[in-house]
């Protein structure tokens, strides 16, 4: 029997509905949405029990488009606000890749309780294990194995972990991500992107995160590069003498299945290049603030028509994994942005980005007939920044 959910407000995130429905109802049955509209109209059309959620703003379940579950155990163990080199110095002094499955499962449960339905995870050393944990959660996912280094793989397909639980879950995929243009050779990145392209999978890359990245690529002289060399992460580096976005474009890494993470140091010309490529961008404003690298030009990216998503990054550079924290940050720092525009960055936009490679993502992202009955409630911390009543 159908059930009616009633809420003071709902943000359906579809063009055929008002941005915010007042005294809203969503009719659900067997885990799917049957109808969305005003409570008065839908109550007359549908019998069945009513669950009145009260004075809340109901929204689609959310996407966290960039997280490092592998580093969940590092919460509070890195220095904040001093720039990239002090942060990464404190990070690499930690037991980086000592996976803690119990803390990951706890983090996933907290995300699900806050209305997250999908996440994109990056793991450097533990992708298969994290993929297995995600497969046993209730979330949709893209579990990326991150490639790093200079070795050109003899068999590029070996970059993609095969994880039986993921293949059997029907809720997610394993895929391949590049770490960054300075830490991963162009050939290795091209091989990784090629694996994704042949298999119709999403690809992810940290890009233009901080000024050190620009300097490493342009000059090859930089304190962060010296640190990476001293730690053995990089050997024999030759600067390509190009900025991040033009280099990624030249390597053929930009297309509509690529998610570019951070994009803090992008120029207007870079933004035009990203928009023309149809690549999506994932902003991580609280992580950028935590590390102290500056902020991406969010409004410029949106005005250029870029498909912008939001991610929390890992708990090594954030305090929680709830993408509503990124929404609250963006709204507090961009008075031109309204609530529904900000909600798109954690609902419809990531659904568009991931749905080609992960079918389940296409069943999330908005409140409309046929979509999954997965919801979030806009937290008071967001409404405090951006009230709509
Ligand atoms: Zn990251």
């Amino acid at each position: 029997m159908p059930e009616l959910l009633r809420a003071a407000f709902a943000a359906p995130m579809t063009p055929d509905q008002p941005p915010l429905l007042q005294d809203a109802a969503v009719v659900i049955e067997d885990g799917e949405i049957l109808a969305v509209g005003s409570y008065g109209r839908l109550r007359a059309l549908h019998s069945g029990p009513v669950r009145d959620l009260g004075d809340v703003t109901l929204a689609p379940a959310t996407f966290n488009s960039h997280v490092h579950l592998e580093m969940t155990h590092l919460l509070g163990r890195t220095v904040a606000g001093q720039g990239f080199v002090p942060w990464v110095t404190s990070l690499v002094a930690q037991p980086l890749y000592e996976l803690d499955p119990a803390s990951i499962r706890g983090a996933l449960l907290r995300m699900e309780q806050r209305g997250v339905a999908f996440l994109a995870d990056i793991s450097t050393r533990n992708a298969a294990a994290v993929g297995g944990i995600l497969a046993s959660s209730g979330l949709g996912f893209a579990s990326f194995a991150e490639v790093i280094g200079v070795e050109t793989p003899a068999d590029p397909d070996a970059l993609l972990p095969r994880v039986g639980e993921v293949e059997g879950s029907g809720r997610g995929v394993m895929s391949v991500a590049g770490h960054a243009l300075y830490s991963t050779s162009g050939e290795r990145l091209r091989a990784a992107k090629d694996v994704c392209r042949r298999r119709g999978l999403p690809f992810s890359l940290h890009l233009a995160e901080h000024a050190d990245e620009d300097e490493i690529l342009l000059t090859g002289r930089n304190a962060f590069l010296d640190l990476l060399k001293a730690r053995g992460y990089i050997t024999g580096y030759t600067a390509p003498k190009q900025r991040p976005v033009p280099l990624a474009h030249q390597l053929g890494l930009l297309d509509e299945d690529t998610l570019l993470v951070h994009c803090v140091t992008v120029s207007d010309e870079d933004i035009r290049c990203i928009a023309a490529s149809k690549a999506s961008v994932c902003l991580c404003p609280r992580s950028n603030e935590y590390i102290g690298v500056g902020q991406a030009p969010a409004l410029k990216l949106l005005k250029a028509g870029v498909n912008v998503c939001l991610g929390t990054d890992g708990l090594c550079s954030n305090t929680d994994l709830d993408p509503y924290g990124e929404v609250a940050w963006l709204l507090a720092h961009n008075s031109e942005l309204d609530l529904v525009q900000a909600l798109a960055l954690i609902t419809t936009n990531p659904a568009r980005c991931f749905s080609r490679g992960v079918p389940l993502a296409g069943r999330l992202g908005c409140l409309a007939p046929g979509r999954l009955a997965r919801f979030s409630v806009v937290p008071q911390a967001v409404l405090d920044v951006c009230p709509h009543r």
Side-chain angles (χ1 to χ4, degrees):
M1 177 182 284
E3 181 181 17
L4 272 81
L5 304 183
R6 183 181 189 183
F9 292 90
M13 307 304 294
T14 55
D16 59 344
Q17 294 272 13
L20 275 172
L21 284 167
Q22 198 162 355
D23 194 11
V26 181
V27 185
I28 61 174
E29 186 172 34
D30 297 332
E32 270 188 25
I33 294 172
L34 297 183
V36 180
S38 73
Y39 176 76
R41 187 172 69 82
L42 292 184
R43 188 73 191 103
L45 295 173
H46 296 273
S47 57
V50 175
R51 198 177 343 166
D52 195 335
L53 305 173
D55 186 20
V56 301
T57 301
L58 194 65
T62 63
F63 288 64
N64 185 345
S65 296
H66 184 73
V67 64
H68 297 261
L69 291 174
E70 186 176 39
M71 299 188 184
T72 298
H73 59 293
L74 300 182
L75 175 64
R77 295 175 70 176
T78 52
V79 302
Q82 297 179 29
F84 197 77
V85 174
W87 173 79
V88 83
T89 303
S90 71
L91 180 69
V92 297
Q94 304 291 334
L96 275 190
Y97 302 116
E98 288 183 11
L99 202 69
D100 180 354
S103 68
I104 292 174
R105 290 197 180 92
L108 293 174
L109 186 60
R110 279 188 288 282
M111 272 192 265
E112 206 170 356
Q113 286 169 340
R114 292 185 188 192
V116 176
F118 189 99
L119 64 86
D121 178 71
I122 310 285
S123 282
T124 311
R125 300 260 179 93
N126 299 290
V130 172
I133 293 170
L134 283 166
S136 66
S137 77
L139 297 162
F141 62 92
S143 182
F144 292 95
E146 184 174 63
V147 301
I148 198 160
V150 297
E151 188 190 330
T152 303
D155 174 15
D157 287 311
L159 296 172
L160 181 66
R162 307 303 297 264
V163 182
E165 304 101 288
V166 170
E167 288 164 15
S169 75
R171 285 184 292 102
V173 296
M174 298 302 300
S175 190
V176 189
H179 176 255
L181 292 171
Y182 56 83
S183 60
T184 318
S185 69
E187 279 309 301
R188 195 162 169 79
L189 288 169
R190 270 208 281 242
K193 175 65 188 173
D194 188 51
V195 171
C196 296
R197 196 175 273 130
R198 280 189 283 110
R199 294 167 179 267
L201 292 168
F203 176 74
S204 174
L205 176 71
H206 296 108
L207 190 76
E209 182 178 1
H210 42 73
D212 293 281
E213 178 176 338
D214 286 42
E215 192 173 75
I216 293 170
L217 294 176
L218 285 169
T219 71
R221 291 186 301 279
N222 176 272
F224 175 43
L225 182 62
D226 294 341
L227 176 83
L228 293 173
K229 285 178 176 171
R231 292 269 173 177
Y233 291 117
I234 287 181
T235 50
Y237 183 78
T238 305
K241 296 190 168 59
Q242 287 205 70
R243 295 182 53 263
V245 172
L247 180 56
H249 176 61
Q250 186 191 310
L251 289 169
L253 303 178
L254 306 186
D255 64 28
E256 61 183 340
D257 291 315
T258 289
L259 182 65
L260 303 171
V261 181
H262 295 304
C263 291
V264 168
T265 66
V266 292
S267 67
D268 291 352
E269 182 58 33
D270 293 340
I271 292 172
R272 280 193 286 276
C273 174
I274 292 169
S277 75
K278 296 191 166 55
S280 293
V281 164
C282 179
L283 306 182
C284 306
R286 287 191 297 161
S287 170
N288 298 147
E289 182 174 66
Y290 183 104
I291 297 174
V293 296
Q295 287 293 330
L299 288 177
K300 279 188 176 180
L301 287 159
L302 287 168
K303 283 176 182 162
V306 174
N307 189 50
V308 177
C309 310
L310 292 176
T312 58
D313 222 339
L315 288 176
C316 48
S317 60
N318 210 336
T319 52
D320 64 70
L321 301 178
D322 184 354
Y324 270 117
E326 312 309 315
V327 166
W329 193 100
L330 270 192
L331 287 169
H333 291 80
N334 295 279
S335 55
E336 283 182 56
L337 209 56
D338 70 32
L339 175 65
V340 172
Q341 287 170 322
L343 285 177
L345 315 189
I346 58 170
T347 57
T348 47
N349 290 5
R352 186 179 308 130
C353 172
F354 290 108
S355 60
R356 282 180 299 280
V358 193
L360 181 117
R363 303 204 60 207
L364 299 164
C366 65
L367 306 183
R371 300 283 175 137
L372 294 178
R374 299 288 292 261
F375 306 96
S376 66
V377 168
V378 180
Q380 192 58 45
V382 171
L383 297 176
D384 287 345
V385 194
C386 192
H388 55 72
R389 54 191 107 159

